Amino acid sequence: MEIIRSLYSTVYCQAHSQANGLLLAGNNEGKILVYNIECLLEREEGGGVSGERPEGPSVAVNASLHPVYSMVSSPAFAITGSSGSLAGWRWSDLKELDEAVSPAWTIALQGDQSNFGTPEINGLSYNAESNLIWAACGDWKARGYDMETGRLISTLDAHKDYVHQVAVSGSSGVVSCGEDGAVLVWDCRAPRVPVMTIVPSQQTSLARPNLGKFVRCVDTAGGEWLVCGGGPSAGVFHLRSGGLVATLPPSDALTPVTVAQFTRQDQASSIVTAGCDGGGVSVCSLSGQVTAQLPAVARCVYSVAASFDKHTLMSVAGTGSRIDICLNLSYRDHSLSTVLD
Amino acid sequence: MASEDSKKLAGEVDSDEVEVISVTKKSNTVEEANEGPAKDLVKSQIDLYKDALAYEEAEVAQRKADADQQHFLQTNGAIRSIMQEILKLKLKQPEKCSEAVEEQRVKAMMLILNMRKLSRTQKVRVRLAREEALDARQSVDGVTLQLQGLLYEVLHLQKEAQRCLLAHTADKDVDLLPVEQFYEEAPPSISRPDVTRSDPHQQRLARLHWELEQRRGQTSLGEQLSSELHSVQVNISELNTKLAAIRPCINDVLQSTIPLQEALGLPLTAMRKQQEAAQLLPMPLYTLWMQCSAYSEAGDPLVCSMIRGDTDAAAKLQQQQHEEQHKTSAAAAAAEATEAAPGDADSDNDPEDSNDVSSHKSRDRSERSGRGKTHVPSSNSSSSNAAAVDPMQQMLELHPLHVEVTVSTPDGSSVVIQFHYAMQLRLVTTRTFVLAKTLPPVPGAVVYTDVLTGPDFLDELFPGDGGVVSPNPATIHQLRRLQPHSAFLHHPALIPPQLGRAYKWAQQLAGLAFPALQQEETRALKDGLVTVAEEIAHEGGTEVSSERVHVTLSALRRRLKARLVLQQHLLSLQSANSTSCIPVPSGSVSALFPGKVSCELVSWRPVSWQDYNALSATAALRDAGLAVATSFFFRALYQRRHVEMSAYVCVSADYPNTVPLFALDLKWGDQPCPHAHVQQLEAEVNVHWSDLLVGGTDKAHILPLMLYRLAMCLDVYTEAVSSRLNPSDAAGPLPDDSMHFHKEKIFFRSARGPDRAFPLKYLPKLRVFAQR
């Protein structure tokens, strides 16, 4: 029975904290898998890991009855989004590697539940400058909460289907994408209407009508660039003008894009994209040149997390029971199990 | 004595002295008379000599030796002085000295005479002293001799005394009655307490006497009894001959009652025959037969165990084994057999030669059955045949008898298991037949999959018990010896298929315990038994029993029930051409599914393991080790217009305890559907099957429920995909209507979450579909 469960398990989201030596992964069973990755951060001369690599999670924390769909890290907290609520987990608590750890705070979504059931939180984004946390919700809205008080600061309501992901840009810029196929650029100081609307499915070089028009993922970097993908192919847009700059892999007609994000928020140096059907992960430049093609154990990649605090660390997760670990942006090093021994 | 002698001697000496004194007087006179007339000179010469001797002897006695010494020295000195005088004289006046010298010479001569006298005296003294020494030595010798004689006498006496001290009589070896008991039991004429109380010797004599009396009495009693025994033996042999004469009569009577027994339904003869045959069974089968019949007698009349096979051959075989054993260990075995014969019931528990239990047992049996049954005269034909046959054949030889256990369900179906014993391999193997009574015949239908009659019917009855690999660790070596170049080298010892299956539970029922290769294996077996026991108790509403026979037989019955239900399901599935043909229990349909299902189950066909193995869709299940070759494989084909779904079903041998596994191959027209979508559909049945067992639905119906559920999922999937691509569905018919599915099921969202999940979960209360 356990084997079958692990066959059909999925990791939706990940978060790194190199300062605390932790890697978190949220899965479809509502668990946060906590990995101790201290040893991956002690590198040898050539960039390899000297010590023993971790095999599996140190502990699996029961976070929710519903799948843990999204996760983002702030310096003090790991914030997870599940159905109907946000939870903040103190890194220092998680570092204890105790199964019974409880969240430092939770925020319940105040939404109209009658039409949608409990809305889920599909994406999270943290703005360090304004200390706001943005949640992409299943009830067609994106919400901004103040991390200090936990109060709802603003609601972005212009999508016509559920919101897949939000990304922040600068102190007040917010970008959201949704199942309705639109990428909306907001200025949260004026949250009533989006500043700009980009519809990738209307770009002929991106559109893939057979896959639909949904936009699964969006990310920004350097306050200037935006990358998004989903049913339409992944593409790089200029944030202010809304113009398409480059088309990114996976370029075949059958693979929906599940991940398209900048590796760093501060500079648009490289972009990671991944698809839904076994193509692995591509690392590209801003112009769409593929610099590395990494294989992934997960047939369908749902989450790529990268961090550069001490050393480069990238992890790739999705369906199945393994998480791939890369020590640079060029090679896969090894993979971790998601099954707790 | 010596002193007396010396006294006597002294006395004689005294008398001699007297004589000597007189002689001395006479001799003085004689010397004076020498100058006188010499008439009687000769006569007196002899006397004189004698007298002189006597006189000198007397003188010797009188005089002291020391004084004589002194006298001699003086004389010597005097002679020397005379010699000097003469020398002086001669030197002074050589011419005139002759007279003086003569005078001096006379003097010297006198002195020399004196010296001679002294010398004679001395000689006499020496002689006397010698005589005395001789006497003394003789007396000393006598005394020594006497002493030695005495010493020898002492030694002899000591030896005698020692012998007396060490002497011990036979009476010490005789066990006697204790003294108190002796005085109580013995008559006073023998015990004589007045005498014996005080005298231990008399007491002992009396006790010995009493012992003798008693022994005599007992000997006569023994003789009497042995004569009685003899007479009784004679009596018994007479009775035996009479009984033997009655036997044919009784046999005739029994024979004639058989029709009556049959008419009345009394299994008396059959039971007796079974009992007789049981004597011929090899030990493991005997144990198994005993356990099963005891269990059925104790309260489960639906279990029936019978012994079948060739009893004559079994008797021959036993005889043969018996003889062989006698041949090999002739004298020793014979001695052991005679010892064991009186108490053969005990020798069953004999811990010795546990290696050879079966032959040991059979020997006992032959003796036991020898009393009740006449043996077929032994012939060596079978052994000579055995030598001629192929060694492999011999290795796989089965005992001619086998035990047939029939486990029935209350509705009349039953599973018949034949337990055989492979004598060389020392294994119990099984062959299984199912007698199904309730199976409704499907007219004209070819049975594609028979889950009832295959040899694998009882595979995986307990987890990990496939029955194909020998549970006996020795088997692999036995088989290797015969086929050194075969595949056994690298594989576990596979039981040749003609023997049937060697399940571990069968060995345990038969009391054959093999050392498990690994500790974990034993633990796993035990855990499996406990789990099955708990499940059975749960199903039957009885208490948990870990009793092996009960659990095993209940598991057999459970397997039979499950397979009967499965067979029925498969029969209706193989002729199914629509989803409504899926034999879902009617109660579950309304509780689990919405009213209408649009996609159709087009066909249901068995698939071979090779074909299943070759499919890419099943790779994940195969790689995870979940789909194994011992399972049954099917392909269910669903269709909804141009959407086609092949479900490859793996039904485990342990179904329904292990639920079926589905691998899907989904095609939208010509295009394969995305893997992520297929995964979601698969997870719905493979992971979330427990949703289907609401309201106490029997797990035996899980397969049709899963199939029906899959049909429903395909409906929702097709509709959700259509609504995603064309959200404005409600607006009206679209131009490419043929490619589009109308939304018939009720769901709010066609996608949810980062993985854009489909609303595959049905909420019966709201009658809507939603995401998990």
Side-chain angles (χ1 to χ4, degrees):
Chain A
M1 200 61 221
E2 276 307 308
I3 305 173
I4 297 182
R5 270 182 192 286
S6 73
L7 269 185
Y8 293 102
S9 76
T10 305
V11 171
Y12 290 115
C13 53
Q14 298 173 92
H16 292 179
S17 171
Q18 292 202 4
N20 294 288
L22 292 179
L23 163 65
L24 305 186
N27 74 1
N28 62 326
E29 289 171 20
K31 285 183 173 144
I32 302 173
L33 309 170
V34 186
Y35 295 87
N36 185 349
I37 52 159
E38 295 277 7
C39 52
L40 296 179
L41 302 173
E42 285 160 18
R43 300 284 174 87
E44 282 174 338
E45 199 80 354
V49 173
S50 53
E52 205 174 313
R53 293 165 169 80
E55 289 284 321
S58 303
V59 70
V61 178
N62 278 316
S64 169
L65 294 172
H66 305 282
V68 178
Y69 282 133
S70 52
M71 196 181 278
V72 73
S73 56
S74 79
F77 296 99
I79 301 130
T80 59
S82 180
S83 285
S85 68
L86 281 171
W89 308 77
R90 222 181 284 281
W91 285 111
S92 53
D93 292 348
L94 291 170
K95 212 177 171 183
E96 303 285 314
L97 300 178
D98 180 12
E99 199 179 324
V101 66
S102 53
W105 48 262
T106 54
I107 299 170
L109 290 190
Q110 309 93 343
D112 177 14
Q113 299 206 350
S114 58
N115 279 341
F116 306 97
T118 313
E120 77 283 6
I121 295 170
N122 293 307
L124 284 170
S125 192
Y126 171 67
N127 192 329
E129 284 179 48
S130 58
N131 204 25
L132 285 183
I133 178 116
W134 291 94
C137 303
D139 57 354
W140 303 14
K141 289 168 189 162
R143 293 182 173 82
Y145 293 91
D146 183 12
M147 279 274 280
E148 279 308 316
T149 59
R151 268 194 312 174
L152 181 65
I153 301 296
S154 62
T155 305
L156 310 177
D157 184 4
H159 278 288
K160 295 186 179 62
D161 205 328
Y162 78 92
V163 186
H164 269 292
Q165 211 158 31
V166 286
V168 295
S169 167
S171 61
S172 59
V174 179
V175 183
S176 65
C177 66
E179 184 73 9
D180 59 354
V183 176
L184 305 181
V185 184
W186 307 81
D187 187 335
C188 67
R189 290 167 293 192
R192 299 185 68 97
V193 284
V195 179
M196 187 169 55
T197 302
I198 301 169
V199 184
S201 56
Q202 288 170 2
Q203 302 278 345
T204 47
S205 56
L206 298 179
R208 292 187 291 187
N210 59 322
L211 295 178
K213 59 189 181 180
F214 73 95
V215 182
R216 162 74 184 83
C217 43
V218 70
D219 199 11
T220 65
E224 238 181 314
W225 305 104
L226 178 148
V227 63
C228 64
S233 296
V236 182
F237 290 84
H238 189 247
L239 191 54
R240 258 170 277 165
S241 65
L244 178 65
V245 177
T247 312
L248 302 172
S251 50
D252 63 303
L254 289 171
T255 312
V257 179
T258 50
V259 175
Q261 67 188 55
F262 291 100
T263 52
R264 290 165 182 265
Q265 297 287 297
D266 47 350
Q267 60 184 86
S269 56
S270 57
I271 302 166
V272 182
T273 63
C276 208
D277 220 6
V281 177
S282 311
V283 183
C284 326
S285 68
L286 196 63
S287 60
Q289 292 285 313
V290 177
T291 55
Q293 185 74 39
L294 309 178
V297 178
R299 185 145 181 200
C300 187
V301 175
Y302 283 116
S303 161
V304 175
S307 60
F308 302 89
D309 304 351
K310 291 178 187 166
H311 296 283
T312 304
L313 182 69
M314 184 163 77
S315 55
V316 178
T319 54
S321 56
R322 315 282 304 172
I323 296 177
D324 293 308
I325 299 288
C326 310
L327 301 180
N328 52 42
L329 299 182
S330 312
Y331 295 105
R332 179 174 70 168
D333 187 68
H334 67 286
S335 66
L336 305 171
S337 166
T338 62
V339 182
L340 192 66
D341 296 331
Chain B
M1 218 170 166
S3 60
E4 270 177 57
D5 286 348
S6 60
K7 273 177 192 173
K8 265 184 191 171
L9 280 174
E12 276 174 7
V13 170
D14 286 343
S15 61
D16 284 347
E17 246 173 89
V18 177
E19 272 179 332
V20 168
I21 291 163
S22 62
V23 168
T24 316
K25 279 171 189 171
K26 269 181 199 170
S27 67
N28 282 342
T29 55
V30 169
E31 276 178 32
E32 286 164 11
N34 263 351
E35 295 156 9
K39 284 198 249 176
D40 48 2
L41 186 68
V42 176
K43 190 179 145 191
S44 65
Q45 249 180 351
I46 295 163
D47 290 339
L48 187 70
Y49 181 66
K50 279 186 181 173
D51 287 344
L53 283 179
Y55 173 74
E56 278 182 353
E57 277 178 12
E59 221 173 30
V60 165
Q62 265 173 353
R63 298 168 72 103
K64 298 272 190 243
D66 292 342
D68 281 353
Q69 174 87 5
Q70 225 41 56
H71 196 182
F72 172 74
L73 289 175
Q74 277 170 12
T75 313
N76 210 4
I79 290 173
R80 202 170 282 147
S81 61
I82 288 170
M83 296 291 268
Q84 278 168 351
E85 198 77 23
I86 291 171
L87 188 60
K88 263 177 207 168
L89 285 175
K90 282 199 174 173
L91 286 172
K92 275 173 190 172
Q93 302 163 327
E95 303 94 17
K96 297 176 187 174
C97 64
S98 61
E99 266 183 40
V101 168
E102 196 63 26
E103 194 183 335
Q104 288 297 333
R105 199 182 59 169
V106 171
K107 275 184 191 172
M109 289 307 288
M110 291 310 290
L111 285 169
I112 284 169
L113 281 177
N114 204 5
M115 268 176 93
R116 285 193 65 175
K117 162 90 177 146
L118 282 172
S119 158
R120 272 198 312 271
T121 318
Q122 185 59 31
K123 273 181 184 153
V124 170
R125 229 179 240 145
V126 167
R127 188 175 49 87
L128 281 176
R130 276 196 186 133
E131 276 170 5
E132 252 174 69
L134 197 64
D135 283 349
R137 192 174 293 143
Q138 267 172 352
S139 73
V140 166
D141 282 350
V143 171
T144 309
L145 209 61
Q146 203 174 2
L147 184 65
Q148 273 175 349
L150 288 171
L151 276 175
Y152 179 76
E153 207 171 342
V154 165
L155 211 64
H156 176 71
L157 288 173
Q158 271 174 347
K159 219 181 272 173
E160 286 294 310
Q162 200 68 31
R163 203 185 295 158
C164 288
L165 284 175
L166 291 178
H168 91 122
T169 49
D171 75 296
K172 285 193 181 160
D173 296 336
V174 181
D175 272 340
L176 292 177
L177 283 175
V179 180
E180 285 79 21
Q181 203 183 346
F182 162 69
Y183 280 115
E184 276 170 31
E185 288 179 5
S189 59
I190 291 173
S191 68
R192 288 174 297 146
D194 46 336
V195 185
T196 57
R197 285 278 184 199
S198 52
D199 185 349
H201 183 64
Q202 286 299 328
Q203 188 184 48
R204 185 148 191 96
L205 282 178
R207 283 167 72 192
L208 283 168
H209 185 192
W210 176 233
E211 185 70 26
L212 181 67
E213 285 298 312
Q214 276 184 320
R215 286 191 182 193
R216 270 181 195 146
Q218 274 167 3
T219 310
S220 63
L221 184 68
E223 276 164 9
Q224 190 189 336
L225 286 176
S226 63
S227 69
E228 257 176 60
L229 178 72
H230 184 249
S231 67
V232 169
Q233 273 170 343
V234 169
N235 200 4
I236 287 173
S237 67
E238 272 172 27
L239 289 175
N240 268 345
T241 50
K242 275 184 199 166
L243 273 178
I246 294 171
R247 190 179 174 82
C249 256
I250 292 176
N251 276 346
D252 287 348
V253 172
L254 281 175
Q255 207 63 38
S256 56
T257 58
I258 288 173
L260 185 66
Q261 284 181 23
E262 276 167 11
L264 296 176
L266 290 171
L268 297 176
T269 309
M271 272 170 71
R272 207 179 56 248
K273 282 200 172 139
Q274 288 283 300
Q275 293 285 354
E276 278 173 13
Q279 306 300 322
L280 297 169
L281 281 176
M283 187 204 64
L285 289 185
Y286 184 77
T287 311
L288 192 138
W289 179 75
M290 278 305 295
Q291 292 220 53
C292 291
S293 12
Y295 180 73
S296 79
E297 275 170 30
D300 197 341
L302 295 174
V303 173
C304 167
S305 56
M306 300 285 281
I307 299 165
R308 295 193 190 276
D310 189 350
T311 47
D312 289 347
K316 264 186 207 171
L317 182 73
Q318 199 170 62
Q319 186 79 12
Q320 193 185 322
Q321 280 174 350
H322 191 49
E323 278 172 11
E324 269 171 26
Q325 203 179 13
H326 269 271
K327 261 184 234 165
T328 49
S329 54
E336 197 192 332
T338 46
E339 260 173 50
D344 57 354
D346 300 352
S347 64
D348 288 358
N349 301 331
D350 207 344
E352 66 174 1
D353 69 30
S354 57
N355 270 345
D356 203 2
V357 179
S358 59
S359 55
H360 187 90
K361 185 89 185 176
S362 66
R363 190 191 64 212
D364 293 342
R365 284 275 165 59
S366 64
E367 280 159 5
R368 203 180 294 165
S369 55
R371 290 172 209 146
K373 192 179 152 137
T374 48
H375 267 294
V376 182
S378 76
S379 66
N380 276 341
S381 62
S382 57
S383 67
S384 60
N385 283 348
V389 297
D390 170 31
M392 191 65 191
Q393 209 61 43
Q394 202 179 358
M395 178 68 75
L396 303 180
E397 205 181 351
L398 296 173
H399 194 272
L401 289 181
H402 64 263
V403 174
E404 196 173 276
V405 176
T406 310
V407 180
S408 315
T409 57
D411 57 13
S413 299
S414 53
V415 54
V416 180
I417 307 149
Q418 293 182 346
F419 293 93
H420 293 267
Y421 183 60
M423 292 178 288
Q424 295 294 318
L425 294 176
R426 298 194 194 287
L427 278 178
V428 172
T429 63
T430 63
R431 286 176 191 153
T432 312
F433 310 98
V434 173
L435 306 172
K437 282 198 181 153
T438 54
L439 217 57
V442 181
V446 184
V447 179
Y448 285 120
T449 314
D450 201 343
V451 295
L452 293 177
T453 54
D456 49 2
F457 181 74
L458 293 175
D459 282 6
E460 302 285 322
L461 190 66
F462 294 97
D465 197 356
V468 183
V469 178
S470 167
N472 187 346
T475 308
I476 188 154
H477 303 293
Q478 288 175 311
L479 294 180
R480 262 185 204 165
R481 204 176 56 216
L482 287 181
Q483 301 185 325
H485 303 298
S486 76
F488 291 123
L489 285 173
H490 302 294
H491 290 286
L494 298 177
I495 299 290
Q498 64 264 38
L499 287 186
R501 302 284 165 117
Y503 297 110
K504 287 169 192 152
W505 57 262
Q507 319 303 320
Q508 281 167 344
L509 273 193
L512 289 174
F514 298 111
L517 293 176
Q518 282 156 351
Q519 200 81 42
E520 292 147 32
E521 200 182 332
T522 0
R523 203 181 313 130
L525 264 182
K526 219 174 258 177
D527 288 352
L529 186 74
V530 171
T531 330
V532 173
E534 277 167 3
E535 282 169 9
I536 286 168
H538 180 70
E539 281 164 22
T542 53
E543 278 179 37
V544 175
S545 160
S546 58
E547 203 255 310
R548 195 177 294 282
V549 182
H550 172 72
V551 173
T552 310
L553 294 177
S554 305
L556 283 171
R557 187 170 292 152
R558 185 171 71 151
R559 167 64 57 91
L560 175 63
K561 281 183 190 166
R563 284 290 173 92
L564 284 171
V565 174
L566 178 63
Q567 181 74 355
Q568 217 160 343
H569 289 158
L570 293 179
L571 274 177
S572 33
L573 281 172
Q574 72 180 26
S575 58
N577 49 17
S578 76
T579 308
S580 57
C581 295
I582 297 175
V584 182
S586 54
S588 308
V589 176
S590 59
L592 288 171
F593 307 112
K596 192 188 167 196
V597 177
S598 305
C599 75
E600 299 292 0
L601 174 69
V602 180
S603 74
W604 170 269
R605 289 288 175 273
V607 175
S608 70
W609 165 244
Q610 285 76 16
D611 292 346
Y612 186 87
N613 220 354
L615 293 165
S616 62
T618 61
L621 293 177
R622 280 184 281 117
D623 293 348
L626 293 166
V628 285
T630 54
S631 308
F632 302 98
F633 301 100
F634 303 94
R635 173 176 183 248
L637 182 65
Y638 294 89
Q639 260 181 354
R640 188 176 186 188
R641 297 218 304 257
H642 56 284
V643 179
E644 203 177 82
M645 178 170 73
S646 301
Y648 296 97
V649 191
C650 164
V651 179
S652 150
D654 196 24
Y655 173 87
N657 299 306
T658 305
V659 294
L661 289 171
F662 287 79
L664 302 181
D665 187 7
L666 200 53
K667 273 187 182 155
W668 193 285
D670 301 330
Q671 295 286 334
C673 289
H675 177 70
H677 296 178
V678 176
Q679 279 252 307
Q680 284 183 32
L681 288 168
E682 278 184 15
E684 205 56 43
V685 276
N686 284 348
V687 179
H688 302 291
W689 53 266
S690 53
D691 295 357
L692 300 169
L693 297 177
V694 288
T697 314
D698 192 350
K699 210 177 177 184
H701 296 289
I702 192 76
L703 178 63
L705 285 169
M706 287 167 105
L707 287 168
Y708 202 86
R709 174 107 180 84
L710 212 50
M712 199 176 65
C713 286
L714 185 62
D715 271 11
V716 176
Y717 172 71
T718 50
E719 287 166 28
V721 169
S722 296
S723 86
R724 280 181 190 182
L725 293 173
N726 303 289
S728 52
D729 180 27
L734 283 144
D736 57 340
D737 194 35
S738 62
M739 298 298 281
H740 186 78
F741 295 98
H742 285 287
K743 188 174 162 185
E744 289 165 347
K745 308 281 178 291
I746 307 164
F747 52 86
F748 298 118
R749 296 173 59 180
S750 61
R752 183 176 190 264
D755 55 347
R756 307 181 74 228
F758 291 96
L760 297 173
K761 186 183 181 182
Y762 182 61
L763 306 170
K765 280 183 188 163
L766 302 171
R767 306 188 75 79
V768 297
F769 286 87
Q771 283 84 355
R772 286 194 180 274

